Amino acid sequence: MEQEQLFPLLCQTADGKRDAFAELYEITSPQLYAVVLKMLKRKELAEEATQDAFIKIWHNAGSYQRNKGTVLTWMVSIARYRALDLMRYHSIRNEVVLEDESGPPGDANEISLPTHEQKKLDECMDELDQQQRQAIHLAYFNGLSHHEVVKHLSSPLGTIKSWIRRGLQSLQRCLSI
């Protein structure tokens, strides 16, 4: 799935073209569903989060800013935030067992990216420091807030925020090469 394919569909969606939105949904819904299912661990909640995310995408398609990331990244962030909202609402953070955050993402964190993109993401995650990888894993793959990552890793909030910020900056540099 390429930016060149998704961007025109999102622009047409912003113009209210339902056919473009339907195609955008068909192309991207498996990726968004995989992300939220990974976070929520429950099919019914993942389906709800995915549906809510697409409603938000339909209403906010015109607000996408190309210079801030790819269409898919923008869409995944919408889905992720909806999943976090549902986690808070249903208080399921305490129900899920945290996955081993110390290892590389591999299959456990795969979000249905094309093979070459997943391989690049895995390579870039492997280049991060252990603490950065752990903090990013807990925050983005397990959906924990910064304060919850603090409790889990027994490190100060400023340190956790720095690890995540520097890790994401490193990932961005690595992925843009």
Side-chain angles (χ1 to χ4, degrees):
M1 165 178 357
E2 300 295 324
Q3 175 76 357
E4 297 79 33
Q5 181 184 14
L6 298 180
F7 182 66
L9 292 173
L10 187 64
C11 290
Q12 292 172 27
T13 297
D15 291 336
K17 296 187 178 166
R18 292 174 188 249
D19 290 345
F21 181 68
E23 187 175 347
L24 185 68
Y25 176 87
E26 189 170 319
I27 293 169
T28 60
S29 61
Q31 288 84 2
L32 271 59
Y33 179 75
V35 169
V36 297
L37 182 61
K38 173 112 179 86
M39 292 173 68
L40 296 169
K41 312 280 192 264
R42 291 171 35 189
K43 184 179 177 185
E44 71 279 2
L45 291 178
E47 289 169 352
E48 180 181 346
T50 302
Q51 180 181 357
D52 290 350
F54 274 102
I55 291 169
K56 194 162 193 154
I57 290 164
W58 169 259
H59 290 292
N60 295 299
S63 69
Y64 167 72
Q65 296 176 14
R66 197 172 197 172
N67 62 334
K68 291 191 176 182
T70 68
V71 171
L72 185 59
T73 301
W74 178 75
M75 293 174 71
V76 166
S77 71
I78 290 172
R80 184 179 170 278
Y81 283 118
R82 184 59 192 131
L84 290 171
D85 289 343
L86 284 174
M87 289 173 82
R88 285 185 202 103
Y89 180 77
H90 292 281
S91 301
I92 63 173
R93 283 197 175 126
N94 295 328
E95 296 174 18
V96 296
V97 176
L98 296 179
E99 297 172 13
D100 177 17
E101 67 279 1
S102 59
D107 292 338
N109 297 321
E110 197 162 316
I111 55 172
S112 300
L113 293 172
T115 306
H116 69 282
E117 290 179 13
Q118 184 64 48
K119 183 179 178 192
K120 181 69 172 171
L121 177 60
D122 290 346
E123 290 170 1
C124 291
M125 286 292 288
D126 286 343
E127 291 180 16
L128 297 178
D129 293 342
Q130 164 88 24
Q131 296 98 345
Q132 291 172 342
R133 186 170 47 250
Q134 248 184 332
I136 288 171
H137 187 282
L138 289 168
Y140 288 90
F141 293 110
N142 287 96
L144 300 185
S145 70
H146 286 139
H147 292 286
E148 290 167 321
V149 175
V150 164
K151 289 178 187 173
H152 189 76
L153 297 180
S154 302
S155 295
L157 179 62
T159 301
I160 296 298
K161 286 182 175 182
S162 293
W163 287 344
I164 292 172
R165 184 180 62 253
R166 281 185 289 206
L168 291 175
Q169 289 169 340
S170 295
L171 282 175
Q172 185 177 24
R173 280 191 302 273
C174 181
L175 291 169
S176 66
I177 295 176

